[in-house]
Amino acid sequence: MQNHRFIFVCGLHRSGTSILFKSLRDHPEVSGFHNTNSPEDEGMHLQTVYKPSGAYGGAGKFGFNPESHLTEASPLVTEENRKKLFEEWTPYWDLSKQYLLEKSPPNLVRTRFLQAMFPDSYFIVTLRHPLAVSYATRAWYKKYRIYWRRLPRIFEHWLVCHEIFLQDQKYLKNALILNYEQFVADPSNYTNKIYDFLGLSPFPNNQKVLSSVNKKYFSMWEKDQKGFLSGFVARRMISRFETRLNRFGYSLVDVERADSIAE
């Protein structure tokens, strides 16, 4: 383990972490999970040390459970578990490479735990407008005929998880916060900022990145605001969440706003 640097991509389900993960994995000095038969090659499904997000309700819910938030104070932080986690992940990494990459949505609320397990860790935190994340998450659940997860609750989950991360950030040695909106606008520039942060050489982003996906969800929000019942829900969401959301550079009133909160 001491011969490697660990990169953890952090961001909720539907936040663009998969395409970011694939982009970083393409760098010749980075090894990331590939063809693992795990959903989206996520490391949380390839280990037995800690519980995956599904154990706490899955997308749009796991962050509400205090047990999903892990820090260096967790009893799971032991030398035995450190070796076990590394051994369970190593079959999916090329250990000839110094930088080892992993991404899973719960990483957002487990940064301090992962840093305790792997001290030489780097955290890439990507934020995406919670309207896009919430509508996409709700659509995913409707696909599987799960209708009881409502938009306001999924939206609040975004806020809760990111607020937990901001509280944890001051304990992290190496963390970089960037916006999904910045990434899709200029993928190569975005990934090269990350490589510079990691101490890696520049490398072009060869992944197919769609730049206008958010617009579909912003149109849904605009339509909802004009509806009778949905309009009431939208106004209530603005009243309840706008101030909290502004802290992250986003707005429910000015949906195109995507200010960076990177320090």
Side-chain angles (χ1 to χ4, degrees):
M1 283 182 279
Q2 65 272 18
N3 296 324
H4 298 282
R5 294 183 178 183
F6 299 87
I7 310 168
F8 294 101
V9 172
C10 310
L12 294 183
H13 298 86
R14 320 303 293 178
S15 289
T17 54
S18 291
I19 187 62
L20 177 59
F21 170 78
K22 293 174 184 176
S23 299
L24 298 178
R25 187 178 62 188
D26 286 344
H27 195 286
E29 298 178 59
V30 174
S31 175
F33 299 158
H34 190 55
N35 293 330
T36 63
N37 292 321
S38 163
E40 299 298 327
D41 289 314
E42 291 171 350
M44 66 176 175
H45 303 297
L46 301 172
Q47 54 78 43
T48 59
V49 172
Y50 60 88
K51 294 179 181 179
S53 59
Y56 303 106
K61 188 176 180 180
F62 71 84
F64 288 126
N65 191 323
E67 293 183 7
S68 70
H69 179 211
L70 299 178
T71 72
E72 64 280 346
S74 169
L76 295 176
V77 181
T78 65
E79 189 60 31
E80 180 182 0
N81 279 341
R82 181 179 293 108
K83 292 178 179 178
K84 183 178 182 181
L85 183 56
F86 183 69
E87 288 171 357
E88 289 181 330
W89 279 345
T90 49
Y92 309 101
W93 277 324
D94 178 357
L95 297 185
S96 69
K97 299 183 179 182
Q98 182 182 11
Y99 290 83
L100 305 179
L101 174 68
E102 190 274 336
K103 80 97 176 173
S104 297
N107 288 353
L108 188 64
V109 296
R110 295 175 178 172
T111 53
R112 291 165 63 183
F113 165 77
L114 292 168
Q115 180 176 258
M117 297 295 272
F118 304 109
D120 202 358
S121 292
Y122 294 77
F123 299 94
I124 312 302
V125 182
T126 180
L127 279 67
R128 185 182 185 183
H129 199 298
L131 280 177
V133 172
S134 299
Y135 277 116
T137 301
R138 187 180 68 172
W140 187 85
Y141 276 112
K142 284 184 176 181
K143 177 181 177 182
Y144 294 98
R145 301 189 177 184
I146 301 173
Y147 298 105
W148 51 268
R149 296 203 175 172
R150 304 298 182 186
L151 187 73
R153 190 63 169 165
I154 300 172
F155 189 98
E156 185 178 11
H157 179 260
W158 188 101
L159 286 170
V160 167
C161 289
H162 288 82
E163 287 167 348
I164 289 172
F165 167 73
L166 285 189
Q167 293 170 2
D168 288 348
Q169 184 186 6
K170 59 180 175 287
Y171 297 96
L172 303 178
K173 298 175 183 177
N174 304 297
L176 180 65
I177 305 174
L178 294 167
N179 297 71
Y180 166 87
E181 290 78 14
Q182 295 172 340
F183 171 55
V184 298
D186 192 354
S188 287
N189 181 54
Y190 186 99
T191 49
N192 280 329
K193 283 184 178 180
I194 297 174
Y195 296 142
D196 182 65
F197 167 71
L198 296 170
L200 288 169
S201 57
F203 191 77
N205 190 319
N206 297 315
Q207 293 289 328
K208 181 180 180 181
V209 179
L210 303 177
S211 61
S212 59
V213 179
N214 274 8
K215 292 186 181 299
K216 174 178 69 174
Y217 301 113
F218 293 160
S219 295
M220 294 169 68
W221 174 244
E222 183 179 0
K223 181 179 179 181
D224 278 351
Q225 290 183 86
K226 296 176 181 178
F228 180 69
L229 292 177
S230 60
F232 172 79
V233 172
R235 290 189 294 275
R236 182 169 172 77
M237 287 176 63
I238 293 172
S239 176
R240 290 181 61 199
F241 302 135
E242 178 69 6
T243 300
R244 289 170 68 185
L245 181 59
N246 292 164
R247 182 183 183 188
F248 298 95
Y250 293 116
S251 171
L252 287 170
V253 179
D254 178 12
V255 295
E256 295 291 343
R257 174 183 171 189
D259 300 332
S260 174
I261 65 167
E263 295 183 355

